[in-house]
Amino acid sequence: MNAGPQEPTLVVAVDGPSGSGKSSTARGVARALRLRYLDTGAMYRAMTWWMLRHDVDVSDPAAVAARADEPVIEMTTADPDAPAVSVDGVDVSGPIRTREVTNAVSAVSAVPEVRTRLVALQRELIGDGGIVVEGRDIGTVVAPDAQVKVFLTASQQARAQRRAAELTADPAATVSTTRSEMDTRDRLDSTRATSPLLKADDAVEVDSTEFGLDEVIAQIVKLAEERVAAL
Ligand code: DC
């Protein structure tokens, strides 16, 4: 059986740490299977961008919690090649990738009120499925019934190199500074009390260190087709 658009209920969850290749992989899988695509990290980044923009002290969880309901966050999921995120009607797809947002996002995403609000929004966006969803807690919390769950990893050095290559516009983003900022973020994301980064028991772990992007995409597409055929 073919896991095409005739399978609207299919949900593919792709979780893993930063720099593991999640975004390129998840987008490629969505393209190959003609599914929608949702980047949940972009939603936490959008929330963080709004907090910084409104001078909320992001190191104060109570201050963040008090305003977590205010930003209107909208996601475009239809085309994996053109994902967009807007806050209060403003497209913030570019601004959410700055170092300032990147270094504040772990603190904001650890606040339970932020997670409650964004998880509800993510479930609405997932709707009846037909979507690839990437994040940290998709297979464990957001979509525990997803038919396909992948936990994507890569060696720390490979992850730091990929991240630094993505940030070439920023002269401060060497491999070593990127690696230490990434380590800090991973530690915060993995040790927070609410929905930490965690491999779901039924997730398939894929280590992308030794594989090219196309190979990783092909592995996950095959897995999805097998799962759909077995339904
Ligand atoms: O995938 P990313 O690097 O754009 O994610 C940004 C941050 O958002 C990441 O440091 C942790 C947080 N996040 C999260 O807590 N839960 C998710 N489902 C996705 C991202």
Side-chain angles (χ1 to χ4, degrees):
M1 200 198 284
N2 184 12
Q6 67 274 35
E7 300 294 340
T9 59
L10 182 63
V11 176
V12 179
V14 182
D15 289 303
S18 47
S20 57
K22 277 196 316 286
S23 292
S24 316
T25 303
R27 280 208 309 271
V29 171
R31 206 179 293 128
L33 294 173
R34 293 161 65 203
L35 300 174
R36 294 183 295 132
Y37 163 70
L38 176 63
D39 172 7
T40 61
M43 299 172 77
Y44 289 94
R45 288 172 178 273
M47 177 71 81
T48 303
W49 176 87
W50 186 94
M51 294 287 167
L52 294 170
R53 203 65 198 278
H54 288 80
D55 292 323
V56 176
D57 177 1
V58 295
S59 65
D60 177 356
V64 172
R67 304 201 65 183
D69 280 340
E70 287 185 50
V72 177
I73 298 175
E74 287 170 304
M75 306 297 293
T76 306
T77 62
D79 181 356
D81 289 313
V85 47
S86 73
V87 184
D88 298 344
V90 178
D91 188 326
V92 293
S93 306
I96 61 167
R97 304 287 162 193
T98 59
R99 224 167 140 212
E100 187 196 12
V101 170
T102 299
N103 288 335
V105 67
S106 290
V108 172
S109 57
V111 175
E113 288 80 356
V114 166
R115 303 203 72 82
T116 303
R117 167 128 197 263
L118 293 186
V119 168
L121 202 52
Q122 287 155 16
R123 288 183 179 147
E124 256 175 55
L125 288 160
I126 292 169
D128 289 336
I131 192 164
V132 180
V133 189
E134 70 156 281
R136 302 290 190 292
D137 59 344
I138 310 307
T140 50
V141 175
V142 176
D145 295 333
Q147 297 91 335
V148 181
K149 296 184 188 179
V150 175
F151 194 81
L152 200 61
T153 60
S155 72
Q156 272 193 319
Q157 188 63 14
R159 290 166 43 215
Q161 268 163 358
R162 285 178 194 160
R163 266 287 141 118
E166 282 168 18
L167 299 171
T168 43
D170 185 342
T174 61
V175 174
S176 73
T177 54
T178 303
R179 179 165 175 170
S180 85
E181 288 173 2
M182 206 178 69
D183 287 348
T184 305
R185 197 147 66 92
D186 285 344
R187 198 174 52 251
L188 293 170
D189 293 343
S190 304
T191 56
R192 66 175 176 233
T194 314
S195 337
L197 169 65
L198 202 67
K199 178 181 165 300
D201 288 340
D202 52 351
V204 175
E205 187 161 342
V206 177
D207 184 334
S208 69
T209 310
E210 304 296 332
F211 297 106
L213 177 61
D214 290 345
E215 290 171 295
V216 177
I217 292 170
Q219 283 182 29
I220 299 171
V221 166
K222 186 163 171 265
L223 190 69
E225 286 174 341
E226 283 168 5
R227 291 286 158 86
V228 169
L231 289 179

